[in-house]
Amino acid sequence: MNQMTRIDPALETRMANAIRALAMDAVEAAKSGHPGAPMGMADVATVLFNRFISIDPADHRWPDRDRFVMSAGHGSMLVYAINHLLGYDDMGMDQIRGFRQLGSRTAGHPEYGHAKGIETTTGPLGQGITTAVGMALAERMANARWGDDLVDHFTYVIAGDGCLMEGISHEAIDMAGHLRLGRLLVLWDDNGITIDGSTDLSTSTDQQARFAAAGWHVAAVDGHDREAVAAAIRAARADQRPSMIACRTVIGFGAPNKQGSHDVHGAPLGAEEIAAARRVLDWPHDPFSLPADVSAAWAAIAARGAAARADWTARLDASADRAAFLAAQGAPDAAALRSAIGEYCHRLVADRPKVATRKSSEMALEVINATLPRTIGGSADLTGSNNTRSAGMQAIRPGDYAGRYVHYGIREHAMAAAMNGLALHGGFIPYGGTFLAFADYSRPAIRLGALMGVKVVHVMTHDSIGLGEDGPTHQPVEHLAALRAIPNLQVFRPADAVETAEAWEIALTSEGTPSVLALSRQNLPAVRIEDDGTNRSRRGAYVLRETPVERDLTLIATGSEVEIALAAADLLAGARINAAVVSAPCFELFAAQDADYRRGVLGFAPRIGIEAAIRQGWELMLRPEDGFVGMTGFGASAPAADLYRHFGITAEAAADLARDLIQGGH
Amino acid sequence: MNQMTRIDPALETRMANAIRALAMDAVEAAKSGHPGAPMGMADVATVLFNRFISIDPADHRWPDRDRFVMSAGHGSMLVYAINHLLGYDDMGMDQIRGFRQLGSRTAGHPEYGHAKGIETTTGPLGQGITTAVGMALAERMANARWGDDLVDHFTYVIAGDGCLMEGISHEAIDMAGHLRLGRLLVLWDDNGITIDGSTDLSTSTDQQARFAAAGWHVAAVDGHDREAVAAAIRAARADQRPSMIACRTVIGFGAPNKQGSHDVHGAPLGAEEIAAARRVLDWPHDPFSLPADVSAAWAAIAARGAAARADWTARLDASADRAAFLAAQGAPDAAALRSAIGEYCHRLVADRPKVATRKSSEMALEVINATLPRTIGGSADLTGSNNTRSAGMQAIRPGDYAGRYVHYGIREHAMAAAMNGLALHGGFIPYGGTFLAFADYSRPAIRLGALMGVKVVHVMTHDSIGLGEDGPTHQPVEHLAALRAIPNLQVFRPADAVETAEAWEIALTSEGTPSVLALSRQNLPAVRIEDDGTNRSRRGAYVLRETPVERDLTLIATGSEVEIALAAADLLAGARINAAVVSAPCFELFAAQDADYRRGVLGFAPRIGIEAAIRQGWELMLRPEDGFVGMTGFGASAPAADLYRHFGITAEAAADLARDLIQGGH
């Protein structure tokens, strides 16, 4: 890097003050926002960018760029100010002026996809630092695959007190320390202030000791002493462990009457205080205007990045791996995957295995992982239960990143957030397993992944009371509904091995949407016993068994309950009631079909939905007068078969309800 | 305590082996379960109970009993075995034999309410240790109110590696260390094994250093050296800080061929290994049978507890606080609360304040907190935004527990779990605030509270896009649906100050059900402008404005959108469309009404639901052909009024939709 570059201290001060001015002016114009963190961390961020970071605003997707994550997302104006100063072409002054306004790229919190220079969406605290763990892991994994010439970058994080108080930070720190992610560098904005007031109100943790306990390199500096900050970053970069630098800062630095207090955290400073700050900072420039030398100094950072990228491109062009490397950055080969899955399903239709869908998932993964080298498996310490590790998958270990399997530990939340980071980094498609009931633990990161549209697959087994004896704490009853509620998230609940493979295919080829696979613990019979030669799950729901004559009833089921629907149809056939059976592995995909298709599938006869879960979310499939066989409250601890009987989720119950419905005169 | 008691080492060994035998036999009979933790921690637990714990199985609600929390809930057989050995009358050997069977009190994980000796439901890892922080805080708070004579007990926790890897444990540890909860004692089952194998696979954290960094007293012992365990517990009890004792144990201790490996974690040992274990442990007794001297030794623990309770009862009887203390343990005075709320609502109807419902909540709390001294407020560092601190509420501080307000820090998950613990301890009704979007962070603990039926109030403000500029990360769109999906949880979304007060009244007097209050950031006009003299919200939904003649339409709205429904009805009245307006502050309560009431409220005319959230969950109110004005995806960052217009949640949009519906020929 550029440790040799001569730094002009006065100019660097003004480079930092440019961030402060843009932050306070934009917040003032918006009449809302958080000036405190950008003003407090302006010196640290300026040192980081001016002396270390290598990015090229002309190519925000350059794979070997350094990643910068503003985990304290409320300090978004720090990101926007820097990106404006660096010259990103989508971050003109109009965007700074339009901070927090409808249609601007400058949302209240940084939103991935809104502007080029935003590496990840942050705001919910602790997400950024944990996503960054995934990015830093991806960097090492890519390095292990492609070598130092092509992959050699850092992941820098600015984290606030809130990020370090949130539980997810523990999972992140524990994981990063264990995996020795030495390219991860966290700059803690140690300003001693939270919204309620002094951090003394709620915490006494010695953060340096805490990070050290997890195997991190730690240091503490005055966050306004730029040489000290630079020295600490230099030492951190040289250390083989992940690093945390406690940067003691004054929140709202430069606002003479408000700095250092929680008043400056999340509200505009006001015209008077801004005027006072301009005097204190010796910043006589108008709002939203920048002196040429400061602009030039920031532009030089971009130029340095452009040069680095040019060097890198030369290395890439000279590399034997060039084509393979570039291919790995793009979308996966959907045709190859379709071919492999199609052939595999062809065999399944012949074999008709009666296995749990978690096992079906493992079988599908044997095919998928052989076809797509970029998949990265893992589990939150339930590998043998989630069936997420296909044959020959080597574990990633501290210092050895050549493997494809991550032991995420008992850290569902970090797993989901780190997977977001793996996906955002590029070059990998992560999937990770836990029990469906523990989707609640990872929910904030699942949501953030949906908001960002990353390609991540959440493998969630033990998907109903069918898990049996573990009881109500472990039995999801509302989790399917709760996940279906999240926008831009595909929730699959496949019925057998074929549907499971189809769900995997869709998940892995859906650009811009994460997926959840809800999988059974218990064995399920094959229900897709004809070789359709096509992925029927793509339409979300389809007629699995049509009636020979006009339907008297449509039974609609998902996952483990499709078997029950088929058995109920058999029972009803005995009573001369013609019941079609619809399998509905993905409500979201079905909702996206045209009305004709949906009407064709659902029919006009009375309907019964069958799912070992609550009815909420079934309004897409059922009218109020239709029936539902499922759960109305929490589960219980007993063998699975006993529970299905106890809660009345049986073919007999469905058939009885069908007779009631039909005789009830619908 | 009984440090003076002479301990018979051989007998104490056999007391521990009784736990091991019951655990392995019960798991074997159930053909599922976790023998590893009970067998590994049997020595530690035996020392704890034999030498320290003070409980009386004859009165499991004795307020001054020690609390014991098995945070590693999969080791439930440890709890059941101990409770059987102690002689709880609902934990006979039939229950041990019936482990994990339908109808047994001995569920796969300990379920609060299933049996007397279960202090809290555990299973989802990390919940127990955090709930225990709440219990330990409640103990100190009660002690500050009633003195050492009446309140002087410990909270003991057994936690596993999983509990300490989960993020919530960081929040728990940070909070307990900060608040100096010296009566909290965590015994870590440091067996080096998780489901996937050695803990080396996923973690390297020095747990002692980690706890010490958070202000804890720490120690490490051989968990099979009972004198060392006793000495460590003695030192921990004497320390003013919370204590963590790392108990190095062999998982499945006593099973000669499987102990120390993950094979013994979560599966039956098998007949052969059990026979071998019986030999190794010198335990020649039949399955489910206990030698008399061992039973007598465990019974002596209960007798010691009974004597302690008798002493305590004598102190209580002699106390001037007797009546007040006992009253504080029972249900709150609902009549007094009704009277206070009724009088307050009377004033509101006259004043018609136009305030945010978060402010309405603060106003209601002024009345409530003056009436009910047992309420304990708090916020996850959003006090000024959640409006959870009423006048004169003093903060609880390290070493000073006389206050009524908890600065939970930026720890939504720990707040929810600790509130569960405060409620379970007894004597307090906790409420705590955060933003509704962050319900996702606390969701696992909210769910557990619903499963247990504790009286906890989750105050969740900024409940829609109405929060404005903070943008999609902070804007709940699916959270109402996701919370309504949780069984046994009351979700309130009040429309004005009267409904907010009514929601509070219901929440505080609902036994067996936690509540969520979803409250607006933005100001809302008074819509309840007549003095009904009754709590209309009790029925969940009601006709706020009826039409003079037969309804053409029913507009149903919640919270901030009731104002829009009223305005839409006004617009439609201009077009001679008679639209009734229903306010629906609580779907769960409405669902519990009889069909006649519900039909009367909803009517037979076309309906339009209005809620600035997704439609899922509205199937209770709406038929497929009815209309909905709300959200279909994530929000955006802009001033609230701009967002309402942008997403079409306006009176005009509702009126347009109404005209379409009615002219559409419904």
Side-chain angles (χ1 to χ4, degrees):
Chain A
M1 295 305 296
N2 63 326
Q3 277 86 338
M4 297 295 106
T5 312
R6 188 74 57 83
I7 300 298
D8 174 345
L11 180 59
E12 205 178 47
T13 297
R14 296 172 64 239
M15 290 172 74
N17 286 340
I19 297 174
R20 295 191 171 99
L22 289 176
M24 67 185 184
D25 289 340
V27 170
E28 191 69 15
K31 300 190 192 70
S32 84
H34 300 75
M39 296 178 78
M41 285 298 278
D43 292 311
V44 172
T46 299
V47 169
L48 177 66
F49 277 80
N50 196 32
R51 309 196 195 186
F52 297 98
I53 268 189
S54 186
I55 55 173
D56 180 2
D59 182 1
H60 69 289
R61 297 196 170 173
W62 172 31
D64 202 32
R65 72 193 181 278
D66 288 335
R67 270 45 170 195
F68 173 69
V69 173
M70 184 68 188
S71 190
H74 52 275
S76 57
M77 264 312 301
L78 180 96
V79 179
Y80 305 144
I82 288 172
N83 288 353
H84 172 75
L85 289 160
L86 290 172
Y88 279 92
D89 64 6
D90 63 351
M91 196 51 68
M93 197 63 91
D94 57 319
Q95 291 296 327
I96 306 298
R97 288 178 185 273
F99 181 50
R100 291 181 154 237
Q101 303 309 303
L102 196 61
S104 293
R105 297 190 187 93
T106 45
H109 294 81
E111 301 284 342
Y112 177 73
H114 283 214
K116 294 176 179 176
I118 299 170
E119 296 282 3
T120 182
T121 297
T122 52
L125 295 173
Q127 294 296 328
I129 187 173
T130 317
T131 303
V133 170
M135 292 176 176
L137 174 59
E139 192 272 345
R140 283 295 87 190
M141 286 163 46
N143 176 272
R145 285 151 176 77
W146 308 106
D148 290 343
D149 266 7
L150 298 187
V151 183
D152 180 15
H153 54 268
F154 282 84
T155 301
Y156 298 100
V157 179
I158 288 181
D161 292 298
C163 293
L164 301 195
M165 291 178 78
E166 290 286 358
I168 190 175
S169 69
H170 167 58
E171 303 184 20
I173 292 167
D174 193 4
M175 181 175 164
H178 175 70
L179 290 174
R180 271 191 258 145
L181 301 178
R183 297 303 180 99
L184 177 64
L185 208 161
V186 173
L187 299 152
W188 169 34
D189 182 9
D190 179 14
N191 59 32
I193 293 293
T194 70
I195 291 175
D196 273 7
S198 165
T199 50
D200 293 351
L201 287 174
S202 57
T203 185
S204 309
T205 289
D206 177 340
Q207 293 288 358
Q208 288 187 70
R210 175 193 173 206
F211 277 75
W216 286 54
H217 163 73
V218 295
V221 296
D222 175 345
H224 303 296
D225 177 344
R226 290 198 309 272
E227 291 309 317
V229 170
I233 294 175
R234 217 170 287 127
R237 286 166 49 107
D239 202 285
Q240 297 302 301
R241 298 165 291 178
S243 294
M244 190 278 276
I245 303 172
C247 305
R248 287 188 306 273
T249 63
V250 175
I251 189 170
F253 184 95
N257 306 301
K258 293 188 171 180
Q259 67 181 23
S261 115
H262 66 136
D263 297 334
V264 82
H265 168 85
L269 297 179
E272 195 176 329
E273 181 72 357
I274 287 175
R278 282 194 143 73
R279 285 190 298 274
V280 166
L281 297 171
D282 191 18
W283 189 264
H285 317 290
D286 286 342
F288 306 112
S289 85
L290 296 164
D293 61 335
V294 167
S295 294
W298 277 98
I301 300 173
R304 189 185 71 220
R309 180 168 71 90
D311 290 349
W312 177 87
T313 304
R315 293 196 299 275
L316 177 69
D317 290 343
S319 168
D321 289 331
R322 184 179 186 281
F325 180 88
L326 290 176
Q329 313 305 311
D333 185 341
L337 190 63
R338 172 84 289 259
S339 167
I341 296 276
E343 197 220 320
Y344 164 65
C345 287
H346 180 73
R347 279 183 279 134
L348 284 178
V349 166
D351 295 346
R352 300 187 184 179
K354 180 169 182 170
V355 292
T357 45
R358 62 180 171 137
K359 179 68 184 170
S360 297
S361 172
E362 185 181 27
M363 290 156 52
L365 284 170
E366 296 290 353
V367 176
I368 290 160
N369 290 339
T371 307
L372 279 186
R374 73 179 71 186
T375 53
I376 302 297
S379 166
D381 196 48
L382 291 168
T383 295
S385 298
N386 300 143
N387 299 70
T388 34
R389 189 170 182 172
S390 64
M393 269 192 146
Q394 295 301 310
I396 286 157
R397 285 189 293 270
D400 174 5
Y401 310 99
R404 290 177 67 183
Y405 195 79
V406 184
H407 286 289
Y408 285 103
I410 302 156
R411 309 187 190 101
E412 301 82 8
H413 201 175
M415 177 171 70
M419 288 200 295
N420 288 345
L422 286 165
L424 288 165
H425 179 278
F428 301 104
I429 303 177
Y431 68 85
T434 186
F435 289 164
L436 179 57
F438 303 144
D440 284 353
Y441 275 84
S442 46
R443 189 171 174 88
I446 295 174
R447 180 184 208 251
L448 212 58
L451 183 55
M452 293 190 281
V454 294
K455 191 187 293 184
V456 165
V457 186
H458 303 276
V459 179
M460 298 196 153
T461 69
H462 296 59
D463 72 348
S464 75
I465 55 165
L467 66 85
E469 293 89 343
D470 273 348
T473 53
H474 285 51
Q475 288 164 356
V477 294
E478 78 278 23
H479 298 74
L480 289 169
L483 289 168
R484 287 171 182 151
I486 296 177
N488 194 38
L489 179 67
Q490 293 177 150
V491 181
F492 293 94
R493 192 164 185 255
D496 71 358
V498 171
E499 278 195 3
T500 304
E502 290 177 341
W504 267 111
E505 184 193 354
I506 300 165
L508 293 168
T509 54
S510 294
E511 302 301 328
T513 308
S515 300
V516 170
L517 270 59
L519 303 171
S520 77
R521 177 192 186 216
Q522 71 273 31
N523 286 341
L524 303 177
V527 299
R528 282 282 291 285
I529 52 178
E530 289 174 39
D531 196 352
D532 307 298
T534 181
N535 186 327
R536 300 193 73 188
S537 299
R538 276 205 187 281
R539 306 198 79 165
Y542 59 91
V543 180
L544 180 65
R545 184 193 292 178
E546 192 47 282
T547 53
V549 295
E550 196 181 349
R551 294 187 199 175
D552 299 315
L553 183 81
T554 303
L555 293 158
I556 310 163
T558 75
S560 45
E561 284 69 70
V562 172
E563 170 186 13
I564 292 173
L566 289 167
D570 289 341
L571 287 176
L572 290 166
R576 304 202 174 186
I577 294 173
N578 293 301
V581 175
V582 169
S583 180
C586 183
F587 285 17
E588 294 79 14
L589 289 174
F590 185 63
Q593 304 304 311
D594 61 46
D596 279 351
Y597 178 79
R598 284 185 281 134
R599 266 194 300 269
V601 169
L602 298 177
F604 296 93
R607 302 172 197 158
I608 292 178
I610 315 179
E611 185 168 67
I614 60 169
R615 181 168 174 157
Q616 184 184 313
W618 273 77
E619 60 277 8
L620 181 71
M621 303 292 181
L622 302 178
R623 300 152 299 193
E625 65 273 20
D626 292 326
F628 185 72
V629 173
M631 300 289 292
T632 56
F634 293 110
S637 172
D642 294 354
L643 292 174
Y644 269 86
R645 273 194 301 275
H646 176 70
F647 289 108
I649 305 175
T650 62
E652 293 73 21
D656 288 347
L657 182 57
R659 280 184 284 260
D660 288 352
L661 273 183
I662 290 167
Q663 286 156 15
H666 285 263
Chain B
M1 296 304 296
N2 62 327
Q3 277 88 336
M4 296 294 109
T5 311
R6 188 74 56 83
I7 301 297
D8 174 346
L11 180 59
E12 204 177 47
T13 296
R14 297 171 64 239
M15 291 172 73
N17 285 340
I19 297 174
R20 294 190 172 99
L22 290 175
M24 65 185 183
D25 290 340
V27 170
E28 190 68 14
K31 299 189 192 69
S32 85
H34 301 75
M39 296 178 78
M41 284 298 278
D43 292 312
V44 171
T46 299
V47 169
L48 178 66
F49 277 81
N50 196 32
R51 310 196 195 187
F52 297 98
I53 269 189
S54 187
I55 55 172
D56 180 2
D59 183 2
H60 69 287
R61 298 198 171 171
W62 171 31
D64 201 32
R65 71 191 181 280
D66 288 335
R67 269 49 167 191
F68 173 67
V69 173
M70 183 69 187
S71 190
H74 51 277
S76 57
M77 265 311 303
L78 181 98
V79 180
Y80 304 145
I82 288 172
N83 288 352
H84 172 76
L85 289 160
L86 290 171
Y88 278 92
D89 64 6
D90 63 351
M91 197 50 68
M93 197 62 91
D94 56 320
Q95 290 296 328
I96 306 298
R97 287 178 185 274
F99 180 51
R100 292 180 154 238
Q101 303 308 305
L102 196 62
S104 293
R105 296 190 189 93
T106 45
H109 295 80
E111 299 284 342
Y112 176 75
H114 284 213
K116 294 176 179 175
I118 299 170
E119 296 283 3
T120 182
T121 297
T122 52
L125 295 174
Q127 295 295 327
I129 188 173
T130 318
T131 303
V133 170
M135 293 176 174
L137 174 59
E139 193 272 347
R140 285 295 85 189
M141 286 163 45
N143 174 274
R145 284 152 176 77
W146 307 106
D148 290 342
D149 268 6
L150 298 186
V151 183
D152 181 15
H153 54 268
F154 283 84
T155 301
Y156 297 101
V157 179
I158 289 181
D161 292 297
C163 293
L164 301 195
M165 289 177 79
E166 290 286 358
I168 190 176
S169 69
H170 167 58
E171 302 183 20
I173 292 167
D174 193 5
M175 182 176 163
H178 175 70
L179 290 173
R180 270 190 257 145
L181 300 179
R183 298 303 181 99
L184 176 65
L185 207 162
V186 173
L187 299 153
W188 169 34
D189 181 8
D190 178 15
N191 59 32
I193 293 293
T194 70
I195 291 175
D196 273 6
S198 163
T199 49
D200 293 350
L201 288 174
S202 57
T203 184
S204 310
T205 289
D206 177 339
Q207 293 289 357
Q208 288 186 70
R210 175 192 172 206
F211 277 76
W216 286 54
H217 164 74
V218 294
V221 295
D222 175 346
H224 303 296
D225 177 344
R226 291 198 308 274
E227 291 309 317
V229 171
I233 294 176
R234 216 170 286 127
R237 287 165 49 105
D239 202 286
Q240 298 301 301
R241 297 165 291 179
S243 293
M244 190 279 276
I245 303 173
C247 304
R248 286 188 306 272
T249 63
V250 176
I251 189 170
F253 184 95
N257 306 302
K258 293 189 172 181
Q259 67 182 20
S261 115
H262 67 136
D263 297 335
V264 83
H265 168 86
L269 297 180
E272 195 177 328
E273 181 72 357
I274 288 175
R278 282 194 142 72
R279 285 191 297 274
V280 166
L281 297 171
D282 190 19
W283 188 264
H285 318 290
D286 287 340
F288 306 113
S289 85
L290 297 163
D293 61 334
V294 167
S295 293
W298 277 100
I301 300 172
R304 187 185 72 218
R309 181 168 70 91
D311 290 350
W312 178 86
T313 304
R315 293 197 298 276
L316 177 68
D317 291 343
S319 167
D321 289 331
R322 184 178 185 280
F325 180 87
L326 291 176
Q329 312 305 312
D333 186 342
L337 190 63
R338 171 85 288 260
S339 166
I341 295 277
E343 197 219 319
Y344 165 64
C345 287
H346 180 74
R347 277 183 280 134
L348 284 179
V349 167
D351 295 347
R352 300 187 185 181
K354 179 169 182 169
V355 291
T357 45
R358 62 180 170 137
K359 179 68 182 170
S360 296
S361 172
E362 185 180 28
M363 290 157 53
L365 284 170
E366 297 290 352
V367 175
I368 290 160
N369 290 337
T371 307
L372 279 185
R374 73 178 71 187
T375 52
I376 303 297
S379 166
D381 196 50
L382 290 168
T383 296
S385 297
N386 300 145
N387 300 69
T388 34
R389 190 170 182 170
S390 65
M393 269 193 146
Q394 294 302 308
I396 287 157
R397 285 189 294 267
D400 173 5
Y401 310 99
R404 290 176 67 182
Y405 195 79
V406 183
H407 286 289
Y408 285 103
I410 301 155
R411 307 186 190 102
E412 301 82 9
H413 201 176
M415 177 171 70
M419 289 202 294
N420 288 344
L422 286 164
L424 288 165
H425 178 278
F428 301 104
I429 302 176
Y431 68 84
T434 185
F435 289 164
L436 180 57
F438 303 146
D440 283 352
Y441 275 84
S442 46
R443 188 170 176 88
I446 295 174
R447 180 184 206 249
L448 212 59
L451 183 56
M452 293 191 281
V454 294
K455 191 187 291 184
V456 165
V457 186
H458 303 276
V459 178
M460 299 194 152
T461 69
H462 296 58
D463 71 348
S464 75
I465 54 165
L467 66 83
E469 293 89 342
D470 273 347
T473 54
H474 285 50
Q475 287 164 357
V477 293
E478 77 279 24
H479 297 75
L480 290 168
L483 290 167
R484 287 170 181 150
I486 296 178
N488 194 38
L489 178 68
Q490 293 177 150
V491 180
F492 293 92
R493 192 163 186 256
D496 72 356
V498 170
E499 279 195 3
T500 304
E502 290 177 341
W504 266 111
E505 184 193 355
I506 299 165
L508 294 168
T509 53
S510 294
E511 302 300 328
T513 308
S515 300
V516 169
L517 270 61
L519 304 171
S520 76
R521 176 189 187 218
Q522 70 273 34
N523 287 342
L524 303 177
V527 298
R528 283 281 292 282
I529 53 177
E530 288 175 38
D531 196 351
D532 308 296
T534 181
N535 186 328
R536 299 194 73 188
S537 299
R538 276 204 186 283
R539 307 199 78 166
Y542 59 91
V543 180
L544 180 66
R545 183 195 292 178
E546 193 49 282
T547 52
V549 295
E550 194 181 352
R551 294 186 198 175
D552 299 315
L553 182 82
T554 303
L555 293 157
I556 310 163
T558 75
S560 44
E561 284 69 72
V562 172
E563 169 186 16
I564 292 173
L566 289 166
D570 289 342
L571 286 176
L572 291 166
R576 304 203 173 186
I577 295 173
N578 293 299
V581 175
V582 170
S583 180
C586 183
F587 285 17
E588 294 80 13
L589 289 174
F590 185 63
Q593 305 304 311
D594 61 46
D596 279 351
Y597 178 79
R598 283 184 283 133
R599 266 195 299 269
V601 169
L602 298 177
F604 297 93
R607 302 172 196 159
I608 292 176
I610 314 177
E611 185 168 67
I614 61 169
R615 181 167 174 158
Q616 185 183 312
W618 272 77
E619 59 277 9
L620 181 72
M621 303 292 182
L622 301 178
R623 300 153 299 192
E625 66 271 21
D626 291 328
F628 184 72
V629 173
M631 299 289 289
T632 57
F634 293 110
S637 172
D642 293 353
L643 292 174
Y644 270 87
R645 272 193 303 273
H646 176 69
F647 289 107
I649 306 175
T650 62
E652 293 72 22
D656 288 347
L657 181 58
R659 279 183 284 260
D660 288 350
L661 272 183
I662 290 166
Q663 287 157 13
H666 286 262

